[in-house]
Amino acid sequence: MNPEILLFVIKLILGGLVAFCAILVMSKTHELYWLFLICGFLFSYVSLVFELLIKLGVLIHTRYALYGIPVSQLLCATIPSVCFLLALIFFLIRR
C-alpha cells in the first residue's frame, strides 16, 4: 500500500473521531470560546477531506488565486487557525 494513502486513511479516521466528539460537545456547551474551538476542529477535518478530493482528482482548485495560491487552498489552510485564534482570544477575554 502506498504510504501517502495510508497516511491519509489514518488522518481521516482520527479526524473523523475528533469531528464526531466535537459535534457531541457542541450540543453541551454554551461558551463562545468552546464553539470556536469546535469549529476549528470541524473546519480542519473539512480541509483534510477537501485536500484528499483534490489529490484524487475528484475536485479541482478554483481558478482564482491570490499571489499564486488558489483561494480554496488558502481558505482551507487559514479558517481552522482563525477559529483557534478566536477561541483563545475569547477565552482570555472571559477571564
Side-chain angles (χ1 to χ4, degrees), residues 77-89:
T78 57
I79 288 178
S81 297
V82 168
C83 287
F84 292 137
L85 180 66
L86 287 172
L88 293 172
I89 288 171

Side-chain angles (χ1 to χ4, degrees), residues 15-53:
L17 289 173
V18 169
F20 178 74
C21 291
I23 290 170
L24 287 178
V25 170
M26 184 181 274
S27 66
K28 299 185 186 301
T29 185
H30 300 290
E31 298 286 335
L32 193 58
Y33 69 92
W34 269 110
L35 293 177
F36 275 110
L37 190 67
I38 291 166
C39 286
F41 288 133
L42 292 176
F43 279 125
S44 65
Y45 185 67
V46 168
S47 172
L48 177 67
V49 171
F50 183 75
E51 181 184 344
L52 178 63
L53 291 175

Side-chain angles (χ1 to χ4, degrees), residues 5-16:
I5 293 173
L6 181 63
L7 183 61
F8 261 110
V9 169
I10 292 170
K11 284 181 182 180
L12 284 173
I13 290 172
L14 292 177

Side-chain angles (χ1 to χ4, degrees), residues 8 47-62 70 72-73 76:
F8 261 110
S47 172
L48 177 67
V49 171
F50 183 75
E51 181 184 344
L52 178 63
L53 291 175
I54 293 287
K55 284 193 182 251
L56 291 175
V58 176
L59 296 176
I60 58 170
H61 286 296
T62 58
S72 58
Q73 188 177 8
C76 284

